[in-house]
Amino acid sequence: MRSCVVLLFASLLTLCEAQGTIVTPVFVLKGRDLLLELDADPPEKFLLVNWKINKTVTLVRFDPSGKPTVIHNVTGGFEFPENKFSVILKNVQEVDSGVYSAVAVTPKGDKLLTEYKVTVQGPVSPVELIVDRVDSSSSESCDLHVTCRTHNSNISSTFRCVDRVCSQEGGERSEVTTSGASLQVYLLNKVIICIHSNQVHWTHDFNTTEHFCPEHAGCVFLVKMVVFSVGLIIMVSAVITVHLVDFKKHQQRNGCQTRHAAREESSHLKVTF
């Protein structure tokens, strides 16, 4: 009974230690070099330090002095920096992705020192922002229908601009592409931005709303003011012209009557004399 309790306690302790192990995620761009270092020093009186991939295949073995021996090579080969028990993976490729762990071999058993989950990613493909359609329901507003497109995926969104203020219907749009990258389209001030990215690389395209939705409100207000002013000037000018014409005709009639009266008075004076 006692031995069963001891074995159960040992199993629980091992399980807790396994669950407490921290796996460090690492993302690296295809073709780059990757440095793998120990997070903890090997215990006293250790015999070896082994770097393994996926916990089964031993890649490099170090003796206590730090001298490495390559057991199983990787695509681009290894380099060994001056700090002991560290390795550099050269020119990594997608096939080099996996869990890399450093394990110390001791007389009492193996002890996990470091563990990395390595993901090698290639650069993402270029992305293109396309304006599919522009709808304008009035002089003060317009709707932009756009598509953010890459070689294997696309995402669409609509942007509404009213009185020089633009917003994205439904908020920022994003989705995961078939290659595991992220495709996003969003509005920053008056700039529509399309981004294609993964953890190690990104590309983008953008355009401004002003190219397709001019600042209507200010322009329309200015045009209205100009048209109103010109119309007012024409109307006032017409009224003044009419009054001037009437005044001139009135003066002409008065002048004719005055000359006629003067002639009659002159004729009367001649007869009297």
Side-chain angles (χ1 to χ4, degrees), residues 120-140:
V120 181
Q121 295 180 325
V124 295
S125 61
V127 72
E128 184 181 13
L129 180 64
I130 301 171
V131 178
D132 302 310
R133 192 173 77 254
V134 179
D135 296 332
S136 182
S137 56
S138 68
S139 58
E140 287 82 14

Side-chain angles (χ1 to χ4, degrees), residues 128-137 140-148 155-174 184-195 205-210 212-214 216:
E128 184 181 13
L129 180 64
I130 301 171
V131 178
D132 302 310
R133 192 173 77 254
V134 179
D135 296 332
S136 182
S137 56
E140 287 82 14
S141 67
C142 76
D143 293 342
L144 286 176
H145 304 272
V146 305
T147 298
C148 180
I155 186 171
S156 298
S157 189
T158 299
F159 299 85
R160 165 157 286 193
C161 297
V162 180
D163 291 336
R164 304 172 65 180
V165 177
C166 299
S167 60
Q168 184 175 7
E169 292 189 358
E172 179 180 328
R173 297 290 308 280
S174 64
Q184 296 174 289
V185 58
Y186 61 93
L187 182 68
L188 180 62
N189 296 326
K190 295 182 180 180
V191 180
I192 301 173
I193 303 175
C194 175
I195 293 181
D205 192 13
F206 67 93
N207 214 326
T208 63
T209 58
E210 295 173 353
F212 304 95
C213 292
H216 296 283

Side-chain angles (χ1 to χ4, degrees), residues 240-250:
I240 293 174
T241 301
V242 170
H243 280 285
L244 287 174
V245 170
D246 289 343
F247 179 73
K248 190 173 182 180
K249 288 181 179 179
H250 181 70

Side-chain angles (χ1 to χ4, degrees), residues 5 9 20 31 56 67 71 96 111 157 176 196 220 224 267:
V5 172
F9 178 77
T56 56
K67 180 181 178 181
I71 306 299
D96 296 320
K111 181 178 180 179
S157 189
V176 177
H196 187 206
V220 170
K224 286 181 177 179
S267 175

